[in-house]
Amino acid sequence: MSIEVKNVFKYYGEQAALNDVSFKVNSGEIIGFLGPNGAGKSTMMKIITCFIPKSAGTVKVCGLDVEEHSIEVRKKVGYLPEHNPLYLDMYVKEYLSFVAGIYKIPNRKERVQEMIKKVGLEKEQNKKIGALSKGYRQRVGLAQAIIHDPEVLILDEPTSGLDPNQLVDIRKLIIEIGKTKTVMLSTHIMQEVEAICDRVIIIKEGTIVADNSAKEIQQKDVEKQTILVEFDKNCSRNQLRQIPGVKSVKQVDDNKWVFLGAGDVRPEIAKFAQRESLLILAMSIEEKSMEEVFKELTQN
Ligand code: ADP
Ligand code: MG
């Protein structure tokens, strides 16, 4: 187990930013930590990376308690903070060498070169960080996060503020880096989760509202599964409503119907058709987009 969060609370004064949060991340997983602004994503990540203390609960990284073994935990965790606070007056190479020094990495020069190559900063390596575009600054941020070869990578909104091309590049880089590490990345962009993550944890107002594979979350709200069916001839709406599991039926065209079912009622529709000697010309299930599911889970 790479990350274990159990019954964590965090108060800023009176306000509870995290309210009894529990989840686990297995080693090797890339998980998306999804939630609207102010949900508590950054707060959770700062606790995992030992930047701020929790108010209650336990957090372990690679089996080590973040408070009892904070130095060990920092060695095992790479962190790209939300507002990546880079030293804009430093040169790329100088900065990475400085970070390598903090971690007391041997063969510092080689390691810095290795990182520059890994994140695609060869052309920019002699520039000041302040002269780089946001996309390249994020590459520097990723390089500093992985320079000490951590097992776990915590990326707080790593693609926010990037243009579409930079976004694709950084996602690719995260997927590449994620092949050998456990990655937890926060985002408020649904497509990001679909593009990168194995699993998604959704947080809303400091509480976890979903924790599942991306696919399962899409299928979670089966109450409203929509199925479009075209028969070869007409039939009565009353008959169709008798099909087990069907909640409602709407006619959209001559022989075309939209079913709203509790779960996947396609097998029942097929049985009905056979019984009534109807041919099914088309049948499709409409999966909800992550975006719709996210909205449903995080809006009141
Ligand atoms: P997210 O990263 O999901 O946008 P945050 O973890 O930054 O959410 O914030 C969660 C809640 O905690 C918000 O309501 C925010 O205003 C509050 N908060 C975050 N940091 C502080 C702080 N240092 N002091 C007081 N309140 C804070
Ligand atoms: Mg945040």
Side-chain angles (χ1 to χ4, degrees):
M1 196 65 61
S2 276
I3 305 173
E4 233 181 314
V5 172
K6 224 165 146 187
N7 307 114
V8 167
F9 290 79
K10 174 69 186 179
Y11 295 98
Y12 292 114
E14 298 270 281
Q15 189 203 350
L18 296 176
N19 191 0
D20 203 7
V21 170
S22 302
F23 62 85
K24 289 175 184 177
V25 182
N26 298 313
S27 66
E29 268 187 313
I30 300 189
I31 73 140
F33 197 38
L34 192 62
N37 282 329
K41 303 182 296 296
S42 297
T43 299
M44 191 65 247
M45 292 182 141
K46 286 178 197 163
I47 292 171
I48 295 170
T49 52
C50 311
F51 270 76
I52 58 170
K54 55 194 155 44
S55 305
T58 50
V59 177
K60 287 182 184 172
V61 175
C62 303
L64 299 164
D65 187 279
V66 291
E67 271 158 36
E68 282 169 42
H69 302 279
S70 77
I71 294 176
E72 281 307 304
V73 169
R74 279 165 203 254
K75 285 184 196 162
K76 290 188 183 291
V77 175
Y79 177 38
L80 179 64
E82 186 171 21
H83 305 290
N84 189 7
L86 299 167
Y87 298 93
L88 300 182
D89 275 332
M90 277 180 124
Y91 292 91
V92 170
K93 256 201 301 205
E94 181 192 12
Y95 171 70
L96 292 176
S97 176
F98 163 72
V99 177
I102 294 175
Y103 288 110
K104 301 191 173 69
I105 291 167
N107 308 323
R108 217 192 279 185
K109 228 175 162 172
E110 288 77 30
R111 186 65 183 163
V112 168
Q113 273 315 313
E114 206 183 316
M115 289 303 103
I116 283 173
K117 193 158 171 249
K118 179 139 196 158
V119 302
L121 275 169
E122 289 101 327
K123 278 193 204 146
E124 324 286 326
Q125 59 178 299
N126 295 313
K127 288 187 185 167
K128 274 192 177 178
I129 293 172
L132 302 181
S133 67
K134 178 95 208 280
Y136 279 94
R137 284 185 202 181
Q138 284 304 70
R139 288 173 196 251
V140 178
L142 280 171
Q144 69 76 30
I146 59 173
I147 199 160
H148 56 301
D149 197 20
E151 284 175 44
V152 178
L153 202 52
I154 307 288
L155 309 175
D156 197 353
E157 308 231 7
T159 59
S160 80
L162 301 183
D163 73 34
N165 291 327
Q166 295 172 333
L167 202 128
V168 170
D169 290 344
I170 295 292
R171 280 183 192 163
K172 271 192 205 150
L173 195 52
I174 294 170
I175 291 169
E176 181 58 36
I177 295 169
K179 284 181 184 162
T180 56
K181 300 191 186 305
T182 305
V183 180
M184 177 174 184
L185 73 91
S186 72
T187 177
H188 55 265
I189 309 166
M190 291 23 89
Q191 294 91 321
E192 193 131 290
V193 169
E194 287 174 293
I196 307 181
C197 304
D198 307 318
R199 185 153 71 91
V200 54
I201 295 174
I202 303 183
I203 185 167
K204 174 196 174 187
E205 291 168 12
T207 305
I208 305 292
V209 292
D211 177 352
N212 252 317
S213 75
K215 193 88 197 142
E216 279 170 333
I217 284 200
Q218 268 169 296
Q219 290 168 351
K220 186 178 155 78
D221 199 358
V222 289
E223 291 262 307
K224 293 182 199 126
Q225 202 124 43
T226 309
I227 295 153
L228 180 75
V229 183
E230 184 181 357
F231 297 113
D232 65 330
K233 49 183 183 273
N234 212 347
C235 50
S236 86
R237 181 161 171 274
N238 262 341
Q239 260 185 312
L240 296 174
R241 282 182 60 177
Q242 307 298 320
I243 298 172
V246 168
K247 298 219 153 169
S248 73
V249 194
K250 204 172 103 189
Q251 190 159 21
V252 289
D253 208 335
D254 277 352
N255 305 326
K256 283 187 190 163
W257 302 85
V258 171
F259 293 82
L260 223 58
D264 187 354
V265 293
R266 283 177 298 180
E268 292 298 337
I269 295 172
K271 278 186 219 159
F272 165 84
Q274 196 174 25
R275 250 190 342 259
E276 301 296 321
S277 307
L278 288 164
L279 279 177
I280 295 174
L281 302 179
M283 177 148 74
S284 62
I285 192 156
E286 206 175 278
E287 269 183 33
K288 287 201 205 185
S289 69
M290 281 299 291
E291 189 132 4
E292 287 170 277
V293 177
F294 175 74
K295 273 194 201 144
E296 276 170 26
L297 286 170
T298 58
Q299 282 171 356
N300 293 321

